[in-house]
């Protein structure tokens, strides 16, 4: 007989937990005390160990889902053994239950009747090793469309960039499961593709015989849910809800008492708050209509021009949230110090002028920033503590310059990495920076191009900035800010005064691992190379 793995209770007050990571996969042979999955409560993280031996027949809950204590999350048994998920009797037609196979219909919101040969579920892909979820920002197709292999299905955003997901299946788009603007866990289903009219099960709904019939069935269910959700706790009684649910409701500005509880003992859990959020427009629609009615009875005063709005509100993007978190963490965790200096930019300005006048050599697109990047790349390999990552209690010093270049995009700052930049020619650096910049602005640069940097250069010189304090991109140990040029006087050997073009450089470094003298020497070495740029081309 198959055994069900249940969500354990890790504390007296814990009614649910977040299943954050699976340590095994379907089909694995499970041993006693083997780690099965990681879970998080409101207080800490744990690993659940196997209490049974056998084959992992089915994972019922994907990583990233909050699960009520005591709910089944997986099935262990003999290969091919039949089982029935508790509470899922109505999730599939009788004929499917009778045909019991290891892929029996689960109760999880992220798992549907994937054993149906006529249906394929489109899953949220993982675009980076550290990404656990992504924002589904736009659908490129609509329900009923005929889908071809490699056809763009939807756009998604991670914390680092934007991407398009291409179809791995052909067929008809039977159902879109996730609305644009929703953040979705990696591996969770977002749409259903199959043969027209194919039967499939949407989690939490009756089996759908066809997309048209399914659409008709959804409306009355949604309408009926509103009155039930709109009954708050009586007489100010405390609402039974998990800590995670309360936090989410507070973040969304929702009255948690309006949520319909589905957790143990009538407790509201996180998914109930998400359901309330989805139904929020319908909940508030009735009061709005009632408020509007009396206004029509009274005599309307003379029309008064509407006062201009005092402000507008816009939800910040996922990329901006990640930038905010990273920058705050960088300043909170590091002892950051900035050194400022200028150098004589005459040589690089003259070099740029010569290149601009020689399009036949393919160098006319080289910018001042490209020249700085070239000099920095050549200098980095001479300073191992600057060309490094500080990770916990160890230093990772790079053999070559993995040079990050800050790119300003409409969605926020992105930092693609020039791999082994110290081995690249000036022309190659210039071409790759432009390629990466275009990809960043179009949202097509892969996540692998946005990680692994050892040092970053950010340039505000074209905006007339004379000096600034760039913030280090952790776990790097330093970052260089490039400033604009300005005329400065200096005394010549004969006592006369001349003006020259000076350019500013601002180096921020982590004083925990880099001392002031080595940082100053690095900044001087970069400045020296830029002042004698024609010589470093020979290196």
């Amino acid at each position: 007989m198959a055994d069900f793995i249940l969500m354990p209770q890790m504390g007296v007050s814990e009614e649910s937990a977040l299943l954050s990571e699976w340590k095994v996969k379907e089909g694995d042979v499970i041993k006693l005390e083997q780690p099965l999955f990681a879970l998080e409560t409101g207080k800490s993280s744990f690993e659940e160990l196997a209490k049974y031996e056998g084959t992992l027949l089915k994972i019922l809950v994907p990583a990233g889902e909050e699960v009520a204590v005591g709910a089944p999350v997986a099935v262990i048994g003999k290969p091919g053994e039949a089982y029935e998920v508790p509470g899922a009797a109505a999730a599939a037609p009788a004929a499917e239950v009778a045909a019991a196979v290891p892929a029996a219909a689960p109760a999880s919101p992220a798992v549907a009747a994937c054993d149906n040969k006529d249906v394929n579920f489109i899953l949220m892909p993982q675009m980076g090793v550290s990404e656990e979820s992504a924002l589904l920002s736009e659908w490129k197709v609509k329900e009923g469309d005929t889908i071809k292999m490699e056809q763009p299905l939807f756009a998604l955003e991670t914390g680092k960039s934007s991407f398009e997901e291409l179809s791995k299946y052909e067929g008809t788009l039977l159902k879109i499961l996730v609305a644009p603007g929703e953040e979705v866990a990696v591996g969770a289903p977002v749409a259903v593709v199959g043969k027209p009219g194919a039967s499939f099960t949407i989690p939490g709904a009756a089996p759908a015989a066809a997309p048209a019939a399914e659409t008709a069935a959804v409306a009355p269910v949604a309408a009926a849910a509103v009155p039930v959700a709109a009954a708050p706790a009586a007489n100010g009684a405390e609402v039974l809800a998990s800590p995670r649910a309360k936090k989410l409701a507070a973040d969304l500005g929702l009255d948690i008492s309006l949520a319909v509880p589905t957790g143990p003992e009538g407790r509201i859990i996180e998914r109930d708050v998400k359901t309330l959020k989805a139904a929020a427009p319908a909940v508030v629609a009735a009061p709005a209509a009632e408020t509007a009615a009396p206004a029509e009875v009274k005599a309307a005063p003379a029309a008064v021009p509407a006062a201009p709005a005092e402000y507008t509100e816009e939800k910040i993007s996922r990329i901006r949230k990640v930038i905010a978190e990273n920058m705050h963490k960088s300043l909170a965790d590091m002892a950051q110090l900035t050194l400022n200096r200028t150098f004589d930019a005459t040589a690089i300005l003259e070099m740029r002028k010569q290149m601009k006048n020689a399009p036949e050599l393919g160098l006319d697109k080289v910018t001042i920033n490209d020249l700085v990047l070239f000099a920095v790349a050549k200098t980095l390999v001479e300073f191992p503590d600057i060309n490094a990552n500080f990770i916990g209690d160890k230093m990772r010093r790079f053999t070559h310059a993995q040079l990050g270049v800050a790119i300003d995009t409409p969605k926020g700052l992105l930092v693609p990495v020039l791999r082994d930049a110290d081995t690249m020619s000036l022309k190659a650096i210039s071409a790759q920076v432009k390629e990466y910049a275009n990809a960043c602005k179009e949202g097509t640069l892969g996540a692998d191009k946005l990680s692994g940097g050892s040092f970053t250069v950010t340039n505000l010189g074209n905006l007339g900035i004379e000096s600034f304090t760039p913030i280090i991109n952790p776990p790097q140990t330093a970052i260089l800010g490039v400033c604009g040029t300005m005329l400065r006087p200096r005394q010549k050997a004969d006592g006369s005064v001349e003006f020259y073009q000076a350019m500013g450089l601002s180096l921020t470094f982590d004083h925990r691992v880099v001392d002031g003298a080595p940082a100053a020497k690095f900044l001087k070495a970069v400045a020296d190379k830029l002042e004698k740029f024609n010589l470093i081309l020979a290196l």
Side-chain angles (χ1 to χ4, degrees):
M1 180 178 177
D3 294 298
F4 287 91
I5 306 301
L6 307 181
M7 176 59 72
Q9 186 166 30
M10 306 309 297
V12 176
S13 63
E14 297 292 342
E15 300 292 344
S16 64
L18 180 75
L19 197 159
S20 57
E21 178 188 6
W22 279 100
K23 305 291 187 180
V24 291
K25 62 183 182 298
E26 292 179 8
D28 282 359
V29 176
I30 306 300
K31 302 294 184 184
L32 282 174
E33 301 298 314
Q34 178 179 347
L36 296 177
F37 58 88
L39 63 142
E40 298 177 9
T41 67
K43 299 177 180 178
S44 191
S45 300
F46 309 87
E47 279 191 350
E48 176 67 1
L49 306 182
K51 300 179 177 64
Y52 311 104
E53 290 191 338
T55 298
L56 186 64
L57 302 180
K58 189 70 177 176
I59 289 176
L60 303 178
V61 177
E65 288 287 323
E66 183 172 14
V67 186
V69 168
V73 298
V75 189
I76 290 179
K78 296 178 181 178
E81 184 176 2
Y83 60 89
E84 183 178 341
V85 179
E96 293 181 26
V97 175
V101 293
S108 163
V111 183
C114 298
D115 56 327
N116 190 325
K117 64 180 179 180
D118 294 330
V119 168
N120 289 298
F121 282 79
I122 307 300
L123 307 180
M124 176 59 73
Q126 185 165 31
M127 306 308 298
V129 176
S130 62
E131 297 293 344
E132 297 180 352
S133 63
L135 181 76
L136 196 157
S137 56
E138 178 189 2
W139 280 102
K140 305 290 186 180
V141 291
K142 61 183 183 298
E143 291 181 8
D145 283 359
T146 299
I147 306 300
K148 302 295 184 184
M149 292 288 290
E150 300 296 313
Q151 178 179 347
L153 296 178
F154 58 89
L156 63 141
E157 297 179 9
T158 67
K160 297 178 178 178
S161 191
S162 302
F163 309 90
E164 281 190 353
E165 175 67 1
L166 306 182
S167 179
K168 301 177 178 65
Y169 309 105
E170 290 191 343
T172 298
L173 186 64
L174 303 179
K175 187 68 177 176
I176 289 176
L177 305 178
V178 176
E182 291 290 328
E183 187 160 353
V184 185
V186 168
V190 298
V192 190
V193 171
K195 295 182 179 180
S199 174
F200 59 91
T201 301
I202 298 178
E214 176 186 336
T215 304
V218 170
V221 173
V226 174
V228 177
N235 302 322
E238 183 181 356
V239 177
L240 293 176
S242 70
R244 197 181 297 276
K246 290 180 180 178
K247 183 179 185 302
L248 179 60
D251 291 344
L252 296 175
L254 297 175
D255 182 353
I256 196 170
S257 68
L258 298 178
V260 178
T262 62
E265 300 180 2
R267 185 175 292 269
I268 295 170
I269 59 178
E270 188 176 34
R271 68 165 173 258
D272 302 329
V273 178
K274 291 179 180 178
T275 302
L276 176 63
K277 177 180 180 291
V283 172
V284 301
E290 293 170 6
T291 303
E296 297 177 3
V297 178
K298 298 178 180 180
V304 178
E310 294 183 7
Y311 58 85
T312 61
E313 287 187 357
E314 181 180 350
K315 191 174 181 179
I316 64 174
S317 68
R318 177 175 170 79
I319 290 178
R320 175 51 56 190
K321 285 182 181 178
V322 172
I323 292 173
E325 291 171 0
N326 287 347
M327 294 299 95
H328 182 268
K329 187 176 187 302
S330 175
L331 286 174
D333 291 352
M334 295 186 191
Q336 299 194 25
L337 179 66
T338 302
L339 303 178
N340 297 292
R341 67 158 293 162
T342 61
F343 69 94
D344 186 346
T346 303
I348 62 170
L349 292 174
E350 179 60 29
M351 179 66 68
R352 170 72 182 98
K353 182 178 178 180
Q354 293 177 16
M355 291 179 174
K356 191 173 182 179
N357 292 330
E360 69 279 2
L361 299 178
L363 297 173
D364 54 315
K365 302 298 183 184
V366 174
T367 65
I368 293 294
N369 195 55
D370 297 332
L371 301 176
V372 174
L373 292 172
F374 183 80
V376 169
K378 297 296 184 184
T379 310
L380 276 173
V381 292
E382 303 169 11
F383 292 83
D385 286 347
I386 300 288
N387 188 39
N389 288 173
F390 179 46
I391 306 171
D393 58 352
K394 61 184 178 182
M395 288 284 287
R396 178 179 295 166
R397 297 180 177 88
F398 291 82
T399 305
H400 293 287
Q402 312 304 329
L403 186 57
V405 184
I407 305 292
D408 181 36
T409 77
K411 293 184 178 181
L413 194 68
L414 297 177
V415 186
V417 177
L418 304 178
R419 306 291 177 191
D420 300 343
D422 58 299
T423 67
M424 299 172 67
S425 67
L426 174 60
K427 186 175 180 180
I429 285 178
S430 178
Q432 191 160 100
V433 168
K434 289 173 178 59
E435 177 188 339
Y436 283 176
N438 290 333
C440 284
K441 291 172 183 177
E442 294 170 2
T444 58
L445 191 66
D448 58 314
K449 303 291 194 304
L450 294 162
S451 59
S454 60
F455 184 87
T456 296
V457 172
T458 179
N459 192 334
L460 297 179
N462 62 334
L463 299 176
I465 301 302
E466 296 183 3
S467 69
F468 63 107
T469 305
I471 299 175
I472 298 171
N473 188 17
Q476 296 171 20
T477 61
I479 182 172
L480 181 69
V482 181
C483 308
T485 57
M486 65 208 87
L487 279 177
R488 283 199 170 182
R490 64 184 172 194
Q491 190 173 32
K492 299 171 62 175
D494 61 2
S496 62
V497 175
E498 67 173 356
F499 285 86
Y500 72 102
Q501 291 281 359
M503 179 177 283
L505 298 175
S506 299
L507 178 73
T508 299
F509 61 97
D510 186 353
H511 214 325
R512 296 176 303 170
V513 291
V514 179
D515 291 331
K521 290 176 182 177
F522 169 79
L523 194 56
K524 181 179 184 302
V526 172
D528 288 346
K529 285 183 172 63
L530 288 169
E531 288 181 340
K532 303 171 183 175
F533 194 86
N534 57 330
L535 298 180
I536 69 168
L537 288 174
L539 295 178

